[in-house]
Amino acid sequence: MTLTLYTMPASGNALKVRFLLAELGLEYERVEVPPPRPRPDWYLEINPAGGVPTLVDDNFALAESNAILRYLALRERREDLYPSEMRAHAWVNRLLDTWSTLVRPALFPLELACGLFGEPTADDVEPNVGPATAALAAVEQVISDNGTMTGSFTIADVCAAPTLFRSGKLGLPIDWSALPRLAAVREAVTTHPAFLTAGPVR
Ligand SMILES: N[C@@H](CCC(=O)N[C@@H](CS)C(=O)NCC(=O)O)C(=O)O
């Protein structure tokens, strides 16, 4: 079965899928999607929303990075990465949702202010530190203290990795000493061999 990943170097959502593909040891064809919008027609035929990434497994095209993480872990029957026990399963899903709907949106303005797409804009940094820190602090309270999100390495760690990597790359002014559990996850995922294989850029 042939796997194709439509990806972009600077996309955190694509990076998390490349991280999992590397962790699973899966070969795949990599197709670069041009960053400018509107996306080319050939890509909109695969993913009408135009977002990156999309995974194609034979003739099954799947968009949405967290859906792709779940799909690949199930496809490879990796119970360790995505447990089937009801509450463990729900807890991984909860962390995926919280990361993508709370943490990423809260950090994005701070990432922009710190130069994600160009020159940093110093005046925009300070007002965005509080909301970013509050979102991270909410996660800090519900994750494990052993360097993983749930107590063992799962797709919740894979999901968080690009954002945590970017926080270091951009030098976000986050007080990690107040977030020791997330700091430990950040250290673990950003030094994980499969993450480095995935080619983090920013
Ligand atoms: N919810 C989607 C978001 C997809 C998305 O917006 N991807 C970004 C890259 S991280 C993108 O395509 N940004 C460029 C754009 O929207 O033009 C997912 O998790 O895959």
Side-chain angles (χ1 to χ4, degrees):
M1 288 203 265
T2 311
L3 286 173
T4 303
L5 181 67
Y6 293 82
T7 181
M8 284 191 313
S11 164
N13 286 316
L15 175 58
K16 65 170 106 150
V17 175
R18 297 201 306 274
F19 181 8
L20 183 58
L21 285 163
E23 174 67 11
L24 294 171
L26 292 171
E27 300 282 328
Y28 61 100
E29 183 188 353
R30 180 172 167 156
V31 178
E32 301 295 333
V33 178
R37 292 264 190 176
R39 294 273 148 71
D41 288 346
W42 61 261
Y43 187 63
L44 295 175
E45 281 171 22
I46 298 162
N47 178 7
V52 174
T54 301
L55 180 80
V56 179
D57 186 0
D58 283 338
N59 58 359
F60 176 57
L62 184 63
E64 291 297 334
S65 56
N66 289 345
I68 298 170
L69 297 186
R70 294 179 177 105
Y71 173 75
L72 286 172
L74 289 169
R75 180 186 189 269
E76 299 306 306
R77 296 181 167 76
R78 287 292 297 268
E79 173 79 20
D80 57 327
L81 295 174
Y82 192 26
S84 58
E85 189 279 320
M86 186 170 66
R87 291 190 179 180
H89 187 84
W91 196 248
V92 169
N93 283 335
R94 179 256 205 255
L95 290 172
L96 292 176
D97 289 352
T98 297
W99 201 265
S100 294
T101 63
L102 175 77
V103 175
R104 274 184 57 96
L107 263 68
F108 191 61
L110 185 59
E111 294 171 351
L112 288 177
C114 291
L116 177 61
F117 293 132
E119 288 302 305
T121 49
D123 289 353
D124 294 333
V125 172
E126 199 276 330
N128 286 306
V129 171
T133 302
L136 292 167
V139 174
E140 175 78 11
Q141 293 176 54
V142 299
I143 63 170
S144 172
D145 63 359
N146 74 345
T148 68
M149 298 287 277
T150 64
S152 63
F153 184 80
T154 68
I155 56 174
D157 300 277
V158 174
C159 174
T163 315
L164 294 172
F165 168 77
R166 187 176 279 175
S167 70
K169 188 84 181 173
L170 294 173
L172 301 189
I174 302 287
D175 178 8
W176 293 100
S177 70
L179 303 165
R181 294 176 176 207
L182 273 171
V185 173
R186 183 166 86 132
E187 174 63 20
V189 293
T190 58
T191 57
H192 194 297
F195 184 72
L196 300 175
T197 299
V201 176
R202 71 179 181 206

Coordinates of all heavy atoms in Angstrom, one line a residue, residues 65-147:
S65 N -4.8 17.0 10.6 CA -3.6 16.3 11.1 C -3.9 15.4 12.3 O -3.3 14.3 12.4 CB -2.6 17.4 11.5 OG -3.1 18.3 12.5
N66 N -4.8 15.8 13.2 CA -5.1 14.9 14.3 C -5.8 13.6 13.8 O -5.6 12.5 14.4 CB -5.9 15.6 15.4 CG -5.0 16.6 16.1 OD1 -3.8 16.6 16.0 ND2 -5.7 17.5 16.8
A67 N -6.7 13.8 12.8 CA -7.4 12.6 12.3 C -6.3 11.7 11.6 O -6.4 10.4 11.7 CB -8.4 13.0 11.2
I68 N -5.3 12.3 11.0 CA -4.3 11.4 10.4 C -3.5 10.7 11.5 O -3.1 9.5 11.3 CB -3.4 12.3 9.5 CG1 -4.1 13.0 8.4 CG2 -2.2 11.5 8.9 CD1 -3.4 14.0 7.6
L69 N -3.2 11.4 12.6 CA -2.4 10.7 13.7 C -3.2 9.5 14.2 O -2.7 8.4 14.4 CB -2.2 11.7 14.8 CG -1.3 12.9 14.6 CD1 -1.1 13.6 15.9 CD2 0.0 12.5 14.0
R70 N -4.5 9.7 14.4 CA -5.4 8.6 14.9 C -5.4 7.5 13.9 O -5.3 6.3 14.2 CB -6.8 9.1 15.1 CG -6.9 10.1 16.2 CD -8.4 10.6 16.3 NE -8.6 11.5 17.4 CZ -8.8 12.8 17.3 NH1 -8.8 13.3 16.1 NH2 -9.0 13.6 18.3
Y71 N -5.6 7.8 12.6 CA -5.7 6.8 11.5 C -4.4 6.0 11.4 O -4.5 4.7 11.4 CB -5.9 7.5 10.2 CG -5.9 6.6 9.0 CD1 -7.0 5.8 8.7 CD2 -4.8 6.6 8.1 CE1 -6.9 4.9 7.6 CE2 -4.8 5.8 7.0 CZ -5.9 4.9 6.8 OH -5.8 4.1 5.7
L72 N -3.3 6.6 11.5 CA -2.0 5.9 11.3 C -1.8 5.0 12.5 O -1.3 3.8 12.3 CB -0.8 6.9 11.1 CG -0.8 7.5 9.7 CD1 0.3 8.6 9.7 CD2 -0.5 6.5 8.6
A73 N -2.1 5.5 13.7 CA -1.8 4.6 14.9 C -2.8 3.4 14.8 O -2.3 2.3 15.2 CB -2.1 5.4 16.2
L74 N -4.0 3.6 14.4 CA -4.9 2.5 14.3 C -4.5 1.5 13.1 O -4.5 0.3 13.3 CB -6.4 3.0 14.0 CG -7.1 3.7 15.2 CD1 -8.3 4.4 14.7 CD2 -7.4 2.7 16.2
R75 N -4.1 2.1 12.0 CA -3.7 1.3 10.8 C -2.5 0.4 11.2 O -2.5 -0.8 10.8 CB -3.2 2.3 9.7 CG -2.7 1.7 8.4 CD -2.2 2.8 7.6 NE -1.9 2.4 6.2 CZ -0.7 2.0 5.8 NH1 0.3 1.9 6.7 NH2 -0.5 1.7 4.5
E76 N -1.6 0.9 12.0 CA -0.5 0.1 12.4 C -0.7 -0.7 13.7 O 0.2 -1.3 14.3 CB 0.8 1.0 12.6 CG 1.1 1.7 11.3 CD 1.3 0.8 10.1 OE1 2.1 -0.1 10.3 OE2 0.7 1.0 9.1
R77 N -1.9 -0.6 14.2 CA -2.3 -1.3 15.4 C -1.4 -1.0 16.6 O -0.9 -1.9 17.3 CB -2.4 -2.8 15.2 CG -3.4 -3.2 14.2 CD -3.5 -4.7 13.9 NE -4.7 -5.1 13.2 CZ -4.9 -4.9 11.9 NH1 -3.9 -4.3 11.2 NH2 -6.0 -5.3 11.3
R78 N -1.1 0.3 16.7 CA -0.2 0.7 17.8 C -1.0 1.1 19.0 O -1.2 2.3 19.3 CB 0.7 1.8 17.3 CG 1.8 1.2 16.3 CD 2.8 0.4 17.0 NE 3.6 1.1 18.0 CZ 4.7 1.7 17.7 NH1 5.3 1.6 16.5 NH2 5.4 2.4 18.7
E79 N -1.4 0.1 19.8 CA -2.1 0.3 21.0 C -1.4 1.2 22.0 O -2.0 2.0 22.7 CB -2.4 -1.1 21.6 CG -3.0 -1.1 23.0 CD -4.5 -0.9 22.9 OE1 -5.1 -1.1 21.9 OE2 -5.0 -0.6 24.0
D80 N 0.0 1.2 21.9 CA 0.7 2.0 22.8 C 0.6 3.5 22.5 O 0.5 4.3 23.4 CB 2.2 1.6 22.8 CG 2.8 1.7 21.4 OD1 2.1 1.4 20.4 OD2 4.0 2.0 21.3
L81 N 0.5 3.8 21.2 CA 0.4 5.2 20.8 C -1.0 5.7 20.8 O -1.2 7.0 20.9 CB 0.9 5.3 19.3 CG 2.4 5.0 19.1 CD1 2.7 5.0 17.6 CD2 3.2 6.0 19.8
Y82 N -2.0 4.8 20.8 CA -3.4 5.3 20.8 C -4.3 4.2 21.4 O -4.8 3.3 20.7 CB -3.9 5.6 19.3 CG -5.2 6.3 19.2 CD1 -5.7 7.1 20.2 CD2 -6.0 6.1 18.1 CE1 -7.0 7.8 20.1 CE2 -7.2 6.8 17.9 CZ -7.7 7.6 18.9 OH -8.9 8.2 18.8
P83 N -4.3 4.1 22.7 CA -4.9 3.0 23.5 C -6.4 2.9 23.2 O -7.1 3.9 23.0 CB -4.6 3.3 24.9 CG -4.2 4.8 25.0 CD -3.7 5.1 23.7
S84 N -6.9 1.6 23.2 CA -8.3 1.4 22.9 C -9.1 1.4 24.2 O -10.4 1.6 24.1 CB -8.5 0.1 22.2 OG -8.0 -1.0 22.9
E85 N -8.5 1.2 25.4 CA -9.3 1.2 26.6 C -10.0 2.6 26.7 O -9.4 3.6 26.4 CB -8.4 1.0 27.8 CG -9.1 0.8 29.1 CD -9.5 2.1 29.8 OE1 -8.8 3.1 29.7 OE2 -10.6 2.1 30.3
M86 N -11.3 2.5 27.0 CA -12.2 3.7 26.8 C -11.7 5.0 27.4 O -11.6 6.0 26.7 CB -13.6 3.3 27.4 CG -14.6 4.4 27.1 SD -16.3 3.8 27.6 CE -16.1 3.7 29.4
R87 N -11.3 5.0 28.6 CA -10.8 6.2 29.2 C -9.5 6.7 28.8 O -9.2 7.9 28.6 CB -10.9 6.1 30.8 CG -12.3 6.0 31.2 CD -12.5 6.1 32.7 NE -13.9 6.0 33.0 CZ -14.4 6.1 34.3 NH1 -13.6 6.2 35.3 NH2 -15.7 6.0 34.5
A88 N -8.6 5.7 28.5 CA -7.3 6.1 28.0 C -7.4 6.7 26.6 O -6.7 7.7 26.3 CB -6.3 4.9 28.0
H89 N -8.3 6.1 25.8 CA -8.6 6.6 24.5 C -9.2 8.0 24.5 O -8.7 8.9 23.8 CB -9.6 5.6 23.9 CG -9.9 5.8 22.4 ND1 -9.1 5.3 21.4 CD2 -10.9 6.4 21.8 CE1 -9.7 5.6 20.2 NE2 -10.7 6.3 20.5
A90 N -10.1 8.2 25.4 CA -10.8 9.5 25.5 C -9.8 10.5 26.0 O -9.8 11.7 25.6 CB -11.9 9.4 26.5
W91 N -8.8 10.1 26.9 CA -7.9 11.1 27.4 C -6.9 11.6 26.3 O -6.6 12.7 26.3 CB -7.1 10.5 28.6 CG -6.5 11.5 29.4 CD1 -5.1 11.7 29.6 CD2 -7.1 12.5 30.2 NE1 -4.9 12.7 30.4 CE2 -6.1 13.3 30.8 CE3 -8.4 12.9 30.5 CZ2 -6.3 14.4 31.6 CZ3 -8.7 14.0 31.3 CH2 -7.6 14.7 31.9
V92 N -6.5 10.6 25.5 CA -5.6 11.0 24.4 C -6.4 12.0 23.5 O -5.9 13.1 23.1 CB -5.1 9.8 23.6 CG1 -4.5 10.2 22.3 CG2 -4.1 9.0 24.4
N93 N -7.6 11.7 23.2 CA -8.5 12.6 22.3 C -8.6 13.9 23.0 O -8.6 15.0 22.3 CB -9.8 11.9 22.1 CG -9.8 10.8 21.0 OD1 -8.9 10.8 20.2 ND2 -10.7 9.9 21.1
R94 N -8.8 13.9 24.2 CA -9.0 15.2 25.0 C -7.8 16.1 24.8 O -7.9 17.3 24.6 CB -9.3 14.9 26.4 CG -9.5 16.1 27.3 CD -8.3 16.3 28.2 NE -8.6 17.0 29.4 CZ -8.4 18.3 29.6 NH1 -7.8 19.1 28.7 NH2 -8.7 18.9 30.7
L95 N -6.6 15.4 25.0 CA -5.4 16.2 24.9 C -5.1 16.7 23.4 O -4.7 17.8 23.2 CB -4.2 15.4 25.4 CG -4.2 15.2 26.9 CD1 -3.1 14.3 27.4 CD2 -4.1 16.6 27.7
L96 N -5.5 15.9 22.4 CA -5.3 16.3 21.0 C -6.2 17.5 20.8 O -5.8 18.5 20.2 CB -5.7 15.2 20.1 CG -4.9 14.0 20.0 CD1 -5.5 12.9 19.0 CD2 -3.5 14.3 19.5
D97 N -7.5 17.4 21.3 CA -8.4 18.5 21.1 C -8.0 19.8 21.8 O -8.0 20.9 21.3 CB -9.8 18.1 21.5 CG -10.5 17.1 20.6 OD1 -9.9 16.8 19.5 OD2 -11.6 16.6 21.0
T98 N -7.6 19.6 23.0 CA -7.1 20.8 23.8 C -5.9 21.5 23.2 O -5.9 22.7 23.1 CB -6.8 20.4 25.3 OG1 -8.0 19.9 25.9 CG2 -6.3 21.6 26.1
W99 N -5.0 20.6 22.7 CA -3.8 21.2 22.1 C -4.2 22.0 20.8 O -3.7 23.2 20.6 CB -2.8 20.1 21.7 CG -1.4 20.7 21.6 CD1 -0.8 21.2 20.5 CD2 -0.5 21.1 22.7 NE1 0.4 21.7 20.8 CE2 0.6 21.7 22.1 CE3 -0.6 20.9 24.1 CZ2 1.7 22.1 22.9 CZ3 0.5 21.3 24.8 CH2 1.6 21.9 24.2
S100 N -5.0 21.5 20.0 CA -5.3 22.1 18.7 C -6.3 23.3 18.8 O -6.3 24.2 18.0 CB -5.8 21.1 17.7 OG -4.7 20.2 17.5
T101 N -7.2 23.2 19.8 CA -8.3 24.2 19.9 C -8.0 25.3 21.0 O -8.5 26.4 20.9 CB -9.7 23.6 20.2 OG1 -9.6 23.0 21.5 CG2 -10.0 22.6 19.1
L102 N -7.1 25.0 21.9 CA -6.8 25.9 23.0 C -5.4 26.4 22.9 O -5.1 27.6 22.7 CB -7.0 25.3 24.4 CG -6.6 26.2 25.5 CD1 -7.7 27.3 25.8 CD2 -6.4 25.4 26.8
V103 N -4.4 25.5 22.9 CA -3.0 25.9 23.0 C -2.5 26.6 21.7 O -1.9 27.7 21.7 CB -2.1 24.7 23.3 CG1 -0.7 25.1 23.3 CG2 -2.5 24.2 24.7
R104 N -2.7 25.9 20.6 CA -2.2 26.5 19.3 C -2.8 27.8 19.0 O -2.0 28.8 18.7 CB -2.4 25.5 18.1 CG -1.3 24.5 18.0 CD -1.5 23.6 16.8 NE -1.6 24.4 15.5 CZ -0.5 24.6 14.7 NH1 0.7 24.1 15.0 NH2 -0.7 25.3 13.6
P105 N -4.1 28.1 19.1 CA -4.6 29.4 18.8 C -4.0 30.4 19.9 O -3.8 31.6 19.5 CB -6.1 29.3 19.0 CG -6.4 27.8 18.8 CD -5.2 27.1 19.3
A106 N -3.8 30.0 21.1 CA -3.3 31.0 22.1 C -1.9 31.3 21.9 O -1.4 32.5 22.2 CB -3.5 30.4 23.5
L107 N -1.1 30.4 21.3 CA 0.3 30.7 21.1 C 0.6 31.4 19.8 O 1.6 32.1 19.6 CB 1.2 29.4 21.2 CG 1.8 29.2 22.5 CD1 0.8 28.8 23.6 CD2 2.9 28.1 22.5
F108 N -0.3 31.2 18.8 CA -0.1 31.7 17.5 C 0.2 33.2 17.4 O 1.2 33.7 16.8 CB -1.2 31.4 16.5 CG -0.9 31.6 15.1 CD1 0.1 31.0 14.4 CD2 -1.7 32.5 14.3 CE1 0.4 31.2 13.1 CE2 -1.4 32.8 13.0 CZ -0.4 32.1 12.4
P109 N -0.5 34.1 18.1 CA -0.2 35.5 18.1 C 1.2 35.8 18.6 O 1.9 36.7 18.2 CB -1.3 36.2 18.9 CG -2.4 35.2 18.9 CD -1.8 33.8 18.9
L110 N 1.6 35.1 19.7 CA 2.9 35.3 20.2 C 4.0 34.8 19.3 O 5.0 35.5 19.1 CB 3.0 34.5 21.6 CG 4.3 34.7 22.4 CD1 4.5 36.2 22.7 CD2 4.2 33.9 23.7
E111 N 3.7 33.7 18.6 CA 4.7 33.2 17.6 C 4.9 34.3 16.5 O 6.0 34.5 16.0 CB 4.2 31.9 17.0 CG 4.2 30.8 17.9 CD 3.5 29.5 17.4 OE1 2.9 29.6 16.3 OE2 3.5 28.5 18.0
L112 N 3.7 34.9 16.0 CA 3.8 35.9 15.0 C 4.7 37.1 15.5 O 5.5 37.6 14.8 CB 2.4 36.4 14.6 CG 1.6 35.5 13.8 CD1 0.2 36.1 13.6 CD2 2.2 35.2 12.5
A113 N 4.4 37.5 16.8 CA 5.1 38.7 17.3 C 6.6 38.4 17.5 O 7.4 39.3 17.4 CB 4.5 39.0 18.7
C114 N 6.9 37.1 17.7 CA 8.3 36.7 17.8 C 9.0 36.4 16.5 O 10.1 35.8 16.5 CB 8.4 35.6 18.9 SG 8.0 36.1 20.5
G115 N 8.3 36.6 15.4 CA 9.0 36.5 14.1 C 8.7 35.2 13.4 O 9.5 34.8 12.5
L116 N 7.6 34.6 13.6 CA 7.3 33.3 12.9 C 7.4 33.5 11.3 O 8.0 32.7 10.6 CB 5.9 32.8 13.2 CG 5.4 31.6 12.5 CD1 6.3 30.4 12.8 CD2 4.0 31.2 12.9
F117 N 6.8 34.6 10.8 CA 6.8 34.8 9.4 C 7.6 36.0 8.9 O 7.4 36.5 7.8 CB 5.3 34.9 8.9 CG 4.5 33.7 9.0 CD1 3.3 33.7 9.6 CD2 5.0 32.4 8.6 CE1 2.5 32.5 9.7 CE2 4.3 31.3 8.7 CZ 3.0 31.3 9.3
G118 N 8.4 36.6 9.7 CA 9.2 37.7 9.3 C 9.8 38.4 10.5 O 10.2 37.7 11.5
E119 N 9.9 39.7 10.4 CA 10.5 40.4 11.5 C 9.6 40.4 12.8 O 8.4 40.5 12.7 CB 10.7 41.9 11.1 CG 11.8 42.1 10.1 CD 13.1 41.6 10.6 OE1 13.6 42.0 11.6 OE2 13.7 40.8 9.9
P120 N 10.3 40.2 14.0 CA 9.5 40.3 15.2 C 8.9 41.7 15.4 O 9.4 42.7 14.9 CB 10.6 40.1 16.3 CG 11.7 39.4 15.6 CD 11.7 39.9 14.2
T121 N 7.7 41.7 16.0 CA 7.1 43.0 16.3 C 7.0 43.2 17.8 O 6.1 42.6 18.5 CB 5.7 43.1 15.7 OG1 5.0 41.9 16.0 CG2 5.8 43.2 14.1
A122 N 8.0 43.9 18.4 CA 8.2 43.9 19.8 C 7.0 44.3 20.6 O 6.7 43.8 21.7 CB 9.4 44.8 20.1
D123 N 6.2 45.3 20.1 CA 5.1 45.8 20.8 C 4.0 44.7 21.0 O 3.1 44.9 21.9 CB 4.4 47.0 20.1 CG 5.3 48.2 20.2 OD1 6.3 48.2 20.9 OD2 5.0 49.2 19.5
D124 N 4.0 43.7 20.1 CA 2.9 42.7 20.2 C 3.3 41.5 21.1 O 2.5 40.6 21.3 CB 2.6 42.2 18.8 CG 2.0 43.2 17.9 OD1 1.4 44.2 18.4 OD2 2.2 43.2 16.7
V125 N 4.5 41.5 21.6 CA 5.0 40.4 22.4 C 4.3 40.4 23.7 O 3.6 39.4 24.1 CB 6.5 40.4 22.6 CG1 6.9 39.3 23.6 CG2 7.2 40.2 21.2
E126 N 4.5 41.4 24.5 CA 4.0 41.4 25.9 C 2.5 41.1 26.1 O 2.1 40.3 26.9 CB 4.4 42.8 26.6 CG 4.4 42.8 28.1 CD 3.0 43.0 28.6 OE1 2.3 43.7 28.0 OE2 2.7 42.5 29.7
P127 N 1.6 41.7 25.2 CA 0.2 41.4 25.4 C -0.2 40.0 25.1 O -1.3 39.5 25.5 CB -0.5 42.4 24.4 CG 0.5 43.2 23.8 CD 1.9 42.8 24.2
N128 N 0.7 39.3 24.4 CA 0.3 37.9 24.0 C 1.0 36.9 24.9 O 0.7 35.7 24.8 CB 0.7 37.7 22.6 CG -0.3 38.4 21.6 OD1 -1.5 38.2 21.7 ND2 0.2 39.2 20.8
V129 N 1.8 37.3 25.9 CA 2.5 36.3 26.8 C 1.5 35.7 27.7 O 1.4 34.5 28.0 CB 3.6 37.0 27.5 CG1 4.2 36.0 28.6 CG2 4.8 37.4 26.6
G130 N 0.6 36.6 28.3 CA -0.4 36.1 29.3 C -1.3 35.0 28.8 O -1.4 33.9 29.4
P131 N -2.0 35.3 27.6 CA -2.9 34.3 27.1 C -2.2 33.0 26.7 O -2.7 31.9 27.0 CB -3.5 34.9 25.8 CG -3.4 36.4 26.1 CD -2.2 36.6 26.9
A132 N -1.0 33.1 26.2 CA -0.2 31.9 25.8 C 0.1 31.1 27.1 O -0.1 29.9 27.1 CB 1.0 32.3 25.1
T133 N 0.6 31.8 28.1 CA 1.0 31.1 29.3 C -0.2 30.5 30.0 O -0.1 29.4 30.6 CB 1.7 32.1 30.3 OG1 2.8 32.7 29.6 CG2 2.1 31.4 31.6
A134 N -1.4 31.2 30.0 CA -2.6 30.6 30.6 C -3.0 29.3 29.9 O -3.4 28.4 30.6 CB -3.7 31.6 30.5
A135 N -2.9 29.3 28.6 CA -3.3 28.0 27.9 C -2.4 26.9 28.3 O -2.8 25.8 28.5 CB -3.3 28.3 26.4
L136 N -1.1 27.2 28.3 CA -0.1 26.2 28.6 C -0.3 25.7 30.1 O -0.2 24.5 30.4 CB 1.3 26.7 28.4 CG 1.7 26.9 27.0 CD1 3.0 27.7 26.9 CD2 1.9 25.6 26.2
A137 N -0.6 26.6 31.0 CA -0.8 26.3 32.4 C -2.0 25.4 32.6 O -2.0 24.5 33.5 CB -0.9 27.6 33.2
A138 N -3.0 25.6 31.7 CA -4.2 24.7 31.8 C -3.9 23.3 31.5 O -4.4 22.3 32.1 CB -5.3 25.3 30.9
V139 N -3.0 23.1 30.5 CA -2.5 21.8 30.1 C -1.6 21.2 31.2 O -1.7 20.0 31.5 CB -1.8 21.8 28.7 CG1 -1.2 20.5 28.4 CG2 -2.8 22.2 27.7
E140 N -0.7 22.1 31.7 CA 0.2 21.6 32.7 C -0.5 20.9 33.9 O 0.1 19.9 34.4 CB 1.0 22.9 33.3 CG 1.9 22.6 34.4 CD 3.3 22.0 34.0 OE1 3.5 22.0 32.8 OE2 4.0 21.6 34.9
Q141 N -1.6 21.3 34.2 CA -2.3 20.8 35.4 C -2.9 19.4 35.1 O -3.3 18.7 36.1 CB -3.5 21.7 35.8 CG -3.0 23.0 36.3 CD -4.2 24.0 36.6 OE1 -5.1 23.6 37.4 NE2 -4.1 25.2 36.1
V142 N -3.0 19.0 33.9 CA -3.7 17.7 33.6 C -2.7 16.7 32.9 O -3.2 15.6 32.5 CB -4.9 17.9 32.7 CG1 -5.9 18.8 33.5 CG2 -4.6 18.4 31.4
I143 N -1.5 17.0 32.8 CA -0.6 16.0 32.1 C 0.3 15.3 33.2 O 0.3 15.7 34.3 CB 0.3 16.7 31.0 CG1 1.2 17.7 31.6 CG2 -0.6 17.2 29.9 CD1 2.2 18.2 30.5
S144 N 1.0 14.3 32.7 CA 1.9 13.5 33.5 C 3.1 14.2 33.9 O 3.5 15.2 33.3 CB 2.2 12.2 32.8 OG 3.1 11.5 33.4
D145 N 3.8 13.7 34.9 CA 5.1 14.4 35.4 C 6.3 13.6 35.0 O 7.4 13.7 35.5 CB 5.1 14.6 36.9 CG 5.0 13.3 37.7 OD1 4.9 12.2 37.0 OD2 5.0 13.4 38.9
N146 N 6.1 12.6 34.0 CA 7.3 11.8 33.6 C 7.8 12.1 32.2 O 8.5 11.2 31.6 CB 6.9 10.3 33.7 CG 5.9 9.9 32.6 OD1 5.4 10.7 31.9 ND2 5.8 8.6 32.4
G147 N 7.5 13.3 31.7 CA 8.1 13.7 30.4 C 7.2 13.2 29.2 O 7.6 13.3 28.1

